[in-house]
Amino acid sequence: MTTTLEAPAQPKRKTLYRGDPGMWSWAMHRITGVTIFFFLFVHVLDTALVRVSPDTYNRAIETYKNPVVALMEMGLVVCVLFHALNGVRVILIDFWSKGPKYQRLMLWIVLTIWVLVSAAGVGRQFFYLLTEH
C-alpha cells in the first residue's frame, strides 16, 4: 500500500510581486518615469502659453505659486533622483559583466544615496517654502 503526501500549502501572496527588492525597483522605475513624463508634458504646454498670450502665461504661472504645487515639486525631485540613480544601476547591470552579480548590493547603495540626496533636496525646498512665502 502506498500513501501520497500532499505538498504544503503555499502562502497567499498579497500582491503580484513576490517581495523581491529588484521587482519593486522595476515598478518604481516605471512609476517615476511616467510621473516625469507627465510633468514634462504639462511643462511644455504651460510654457507654450507664452506664444498664445503672455498674460495667460503669467496667470498660469501664478496658479503654481501655492503650497500644494510646492509639495508636488518636492515629489518631482524625489522621482527624478530615484529614476536617475536607478537608471545608472540598470545600465551597470546591462553593460557590466559583473552587474547581475552585484545588482542587489547596487540597489541598496542607490537607495542609500537616493534617501540622502532626496532629504537634502526636499529639505532645501522646505526651507525656501518657509522663508520666501
Side-chain angles (χ1 to χ4, degrees):
M1 178 186 247
T2 60
T3 57
T4 56
L5 298 173
E6 273 189 44
Q10 295 293 325
K12 291 185 179 183
R13 289 188 294 229
K14 294 181 182 177
T15 67
L16 178 66
Y17 297 106
R18 294 186 179 121
D20 182 44
M23 293 181 87
W24 288 109
S25 171
W26 178 86
M28 288 304 297
H29 196 77
R30 273 42 180 194
I31 291 167
T32 57
V34 169
T35 302
I36 295 165
F37 176 79
F38 176 74
F39 164 76
L40 290 173
F41 182 73
V42 171
H43 179 65
V44 167
L45 288 179
D46 68 14
T47 303
L49 284 174
V50 79
R51 304 260 310 161
V52 174
S53 165
D55 186 50
T56 305
Y57 171 78
N58 289 335
R59 282 183 290 171
I61 296 304
E62 281 300 315
T63 63
Y64 295 154
K65 295 180 180 180
N66 65 59
V68 173
V69 174
L71 290 174
M72 290 169 61
E73 287 175 346
M74 291 176 204
L76 179 65
V77 166
V78 170
C79 286
V80 167
L81 287 171
F82 178 82
H83 196 79
L85 292 169
N86 193 55
V88 170
R89 183 183 77 91
V90 169
I91 289 169
L92 287 172
I93 292 169
D94 288 344
F95 294 109
W96 180 35
S97 63
K98 295 183 182 180
K101 179 180 177 182
Y102 295 113
Q103 69 92 15
R104 187 176 296 252
L105 174 63
M106 288 189 293
L107 175 61
W108 291 112
I109 292 169
V110 161
L111 291 175
T112 302
I113 294 169
W114 173 62
V115 167
L116 294 173
V117 176
S118 292
V122 169
R124 174 65 182 108
Q125 286 178 299
F126 263 121
F127 178 77
Y128 175 78
L129 180 65
L130 297 174
T131 58
E132 296 294 321
H133 291 87

